[in-house]
Amino acid sequence: RYLEQIFHKLKKAKIVKSVRGPGGGYLLTKDPEKITVGDIIQAMREPIDPVFCVDSDSRSSKKCSREAECVTRHVWKEAGEKITEYFDSVTIGDLCERAKGMGIKKDMKHPFDYSI
């Protein structure tokens, strides 16, 4: 059930598509080099900001009473931007290459068969 929810979000974001029948399942909709970790995080609609007061999506109902006078808020905001920038620079293809470099092997029945 939990995985169904994840794949539903990925499908809605057009990161994966479902295939019915024998050998069916989920396939990536694009080349792994064109899908970033940032795309996946965004599809999951999960905040990646380090603290609630810099939530870029403004989904947090919490508001900090010291927001206007907080010097560190700017540091946290910049840190969140750097984290987002990094996630947007790492692709699924990069992760596959890293796995190979670590000696993690996977027998692929299909050239587009990736485990995420």
Side-chain angles (χ1 to χ4, degrees), residues 101-116:
M102 294 170 62
I104 299 170
K105 295 180 182 171
K106 179 172 183 338
D107 293 328
M108 288 196 266
K109 297 174 187 169
H110 190 277
F112 301 111
D113 182 13
Y114 294 91
S115 295
I116 301 174

Side-chain angles (χ1 to χ4, degrees), residues 42 44 64 68 71 74:
Q42 188 174 16
M44 294 294 105
C64 180
V71 176
H74 299 285

Side-chain angles (χ1 to χ4, degrees), residues 47-49 51-60 63 73:
I48 58 169
D49 295 306
V51 293
F52 78 89
C53 66
V54 294
D55 184 359
S56 56
D57 291 338
S58 300
R59 282 182 272 133
S60 176
K63 292 292 177 192
R73 182 175 186 275

Side-chain angles (χ1 to χ4, degrees), residues 2-13 15-16 37-48 57 59 116:
Y2 177 68
L3 289 177
E4 286 176 22
Q5 292 172 0
I6 291 172
F7 277 104
H8 176 73
K9 289 178 182 180
L10 292 173
K11 189 175 173 184
K12 190 174 178 180
I15 293 173
V16 298
V37 172
D39 294 333
I40 295 168
I41 292 170
Q42 188 174 16
M44 294 294 105
R45 295 185 220 121
E46 293 294 329
I48 58 169
D57 291 338
R59 282 182 272 133
I116 301 174

Side-chain angles (χ1 to χ4, degrees), residues 7 26-28 30-33 92-93 96-97 100 106 108 110-116:
F7 277 104
Y26 290 93
L27 299 173
L28 296 176
K30 299 183 254 182
D31 184 71
E33 298 295 333
I92 297 297
C96 292
E97 287 302 314
K100 286 180 193 173
K106 179 172 183 338
M108 288 196 266
H110 190 277
F112 301 111
D113 182 13
Y114 294 91
S115 295
I116 301 174

